[in-house]
Amino acid sequence: MWRHAGRTVVQLAPVAVLLYVFITGPPLVRVMAVVSGVLIGLISSLCYLGETAEHRAVKAGYRPGTATAVRAERHAGEHPGRDRRYNERWRSGPPA
């Protein structure tokens, strides 16, 4: 996640600098406009983190679904009761 966020910030930085230079107005307004835009870009980028990682893995020659499977395998034993509780509650139908 941190690598993806850093990559996004590096891609947004040149655009942010150009916007700060060419937007007219008081410096505080320009800074806040650019920072707000970068934050929105970062949030929208992080929303699609999984899909982006999967797309990059496919471009690198892996089969579709490999990145998702590796992440699921890595985190499989972190919460042993969570899947059981989920299946007991929701797989049998909605709660009464």
Side-chain angles (χ1 to χ4, degrees), residues 7 53-62:
R7 180 182 171 91
E54 190 67 45
H55 178 71
R56 291 175 61 78
V58 170
K59 281 176 51 176
Y62 293 97

Side-chain angles (χ1 to χ4, degrees), residues 10 24 29 36 56 59-60 63-64 66 71 82 89 92:
V10 167
T24 58
V29 172
S36 298
R56 291 175 61 78
K59 281 176 51 176
R63 290 184 176 167
T66 302
R71 273 193 311 276
R82 179 177 58 189
R89 180 172 177 132
S92 61

Side-chain angles (χ1 to χ4, degrees), residues 36-85:
S36 298
V38 168
L39 285 176
I40 289 171
L42 189 59
I43 289 169
S44 66
S45 174
L46 289 175
C47 286
Y48 295 104
L49 181 106
E51 289 84 358
T52 302
E54 190 67 45
H55 178 71
R56 291 175 61 78
V58 170
K59 281 176 51 176
Y62 293 97
R63 290 184 176 167
T66 302
T68 304
V70 168
R71 273 193 311 276
E73 183 180 314
R74 182 185 310 154
H75 298 293
E78 287 182 2
H79 304 284
R82 179 177 58 189
D83 293 333
R84 180 187 49 79
R85 288 190 308 271

Side-chain angles (χ1 to χ4, degrees), residues 4-17 38 41 45 52 56:
H4 183 80
R7 180 182 171 91
T8 301
V9 169
V10 167
Q11 290 176 348
L12 290 174
V15 176
V17 170
V38 168
S45 174
T52 302
R56 291 175 61 78

